[in-house]
């Protein structure tokens, strides 16, 4: 199995690049953002709970997200590998993922960290808000809150994987194709 994490702040292009990477490498795409939005659209109890956090720019509680990831993993037995997009977002989630992968006798090979400065992120998210219909995109205050939550709760995840020597920084500003090529270069080197 080949498992990788695409890491970065909200709006850094994780979803955009994940779509291209799963197509090229045949990995299973596990985006907790997409899974949560599906729960919200289906109006499930989990979705209703998640919406109240997402709309405020906060993270959904760890136990909710970890349970959702475990179920998704079980649905894809025999997968060639996973691309984790937007997960883990806290150190508790990272520890839970390590435990889950250990049980399955596999591990994270690489953490690709998209580097984008905050002004560019806000610009992208304001732009996405014009067409996405996402309730967490429309308000600039909510976006600033998301960046603040990222710095406090998610950035420590990079340190967690740096201690395991798994993080590679990638310039996240440029055209989508330029960034995709940089990501592929690192992945191809690792898979050799
Ligand atoms: P996510 O769905 O993960 O999304 P995201 O961080 O907003 O965006 P992403 O980085 O994927 O950026 P994108 O490609 O769209 O999270 C949503 C919310 O769900 C979270 O805030 C949280 O509340 C909750 N959640 C999710 N996972 C969770 C977890 N594990 N624990 C707790 N809560 C969780 O790109 C952004 C925009 O930039 C797009 O418009 C795109 O077109 C544009 N763009 C992309 N690449 C570009 C480039 N190179 N140049 C210019 N623009 C570009």
């Amino acid at each position: 199995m080949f498992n990788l994490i695409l890491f970065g702040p909200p709006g850094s292009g994780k979803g955009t690049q994940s779509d291209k990477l799963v197509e090229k490498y045949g990995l299973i795409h596990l985006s907790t953002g997409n899974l949560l939005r599906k729960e919200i659209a289906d109006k499930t109890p989990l979705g209703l709970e998640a919406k109240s956090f997402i709309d405020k720019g906060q993270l959904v509680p760890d136990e909710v997200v970890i349970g959702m990831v475990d179920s998704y993993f079980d649905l894809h037995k025999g997968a060639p590998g996973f691309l984790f997009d937007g997960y883990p977002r806290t150190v508790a989630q990272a520890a839970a993922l390590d435990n889950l992968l250990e049980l399955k006798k596999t591990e994270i090979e690489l953490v690709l960290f998209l580097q984008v400065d905050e002004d560019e992120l806000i610009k992208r998210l304001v732009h996405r808000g014009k067409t996405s219909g996402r309730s967490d995109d429309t308000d600039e205050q909510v976006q600033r809150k998301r960046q603040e939550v990222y710095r406090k709760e998610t950035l420590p995840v990079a340190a967690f994987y740096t201690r395991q020597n798994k993080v590679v920084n990638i310039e996240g500003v440029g055209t989508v194709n330029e960034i995709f090529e940089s990501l592929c270069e690192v992945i191809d080197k690792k898979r050799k």
Side-chain angles (χ1 to χ4, degrees):
M1 256 180 133
F2 185 81
N3 303 303
L4 64 94
I5 294 174
L6 198 52
F7 187 81
S12 56
K14 301 183 295 289
T16 304
Q17 296 296 336
S18 291
D19 289 343
K20 293 170 76 69
L21 291 169
V22 293
E23 196 189 326
K24 175 162 178 175
Y25 294 103
L27 301 170
I28 300 292
H29 185 191
L30 196 162
S31 157
T32 41
N34 287 351
L35 292 177
L36 290 167
R37 281 187 287 278
K38 169 91 172 53
E39 297 281 343
I40 293 170
D42 293 346
K43 298 194 166 60
T44 65
L46 192 158
L48 291 177
E49 188 190 354
K51 189 172 182 342
S52 63
F53 292 95
I54 292 176
D55 285 357
K56 285 187 253 159
Q58 294 169 352
L59 294 181
V60 175
D62 284 337
E63 60 275 17
V64 174
V65 181
I66 291 167
M68 202 176 67
V69 168
D70 286 1
S71 315
Y72 193 81
F73 213 87
D74 282 342
L75 272 179
H76 293 87
K77 291 197 174 87
F82 286 85
L83 190 163
F84 296 95
D85 158 14
Y87 184 83
R89 259 179 159 95
T90 63
V91 171
Q93 292 179 15
L97 180 60
D98 267 7
N99 288 339
L100 175 71
L101 294 177
E102 201 183 321
L103 277 176
K104 314 276 176 195
K105 303 202 170 12
T106 181
E107 62 173 343
I108 294 295
E109 300 275 349
L110 259 183
V111 179
L112 297 165
F113 186 172
L114 291 170
Q115 309 281 322
V116 181
D117 63 76
E118 192 163 322
D119 285 347
E120 169 73 13
L121 294 169
I122 302 285
K123 204 169 79 188
R124 286 184 189 181
L125 291 173
V126 167
H127 185 71
R128 186 173 73 183
K130 289 182 189 148
T131 53
S132 69
R134 276 175 55 168
S135 51
D136 56 341
D137 274 351
T138 41
D139 184 334
E140 186 167 336
Q141 279 306 101
V142 170
Q143 286 161 19
R144 297 249 172 232
K145 174 75 185 169
R146 292 181 66 203
Q147 303 298 335
E148 181 194 323
V149 168
Y150 165 79
R151 283 193 300 274
K152 281 197 193 135
E153 300 186 46
T154 305
L155 204 49
V157 173
F160 177 94
Y161 288 111
T162 298
R163 285 194 289 278
Q164 300 182 13
N165 274 323
K166 291 182 173 167
V167 179
V168 178
N169 292 340
I170 304 282
E171 172 60 61
V173 180
T175 68
V176 169
N177 279 337
E178 280 164 358
I179 298 162
F180 180 61
E181 277 171 25
S182 308
L183 292 165
C184 292
E185 209 176 296
V186 178
I187 295 170
D188 292 342
K189 216 155 107 191
K190 184 78 186 175
R191 275 161 68 104
K192 261 189 194 153

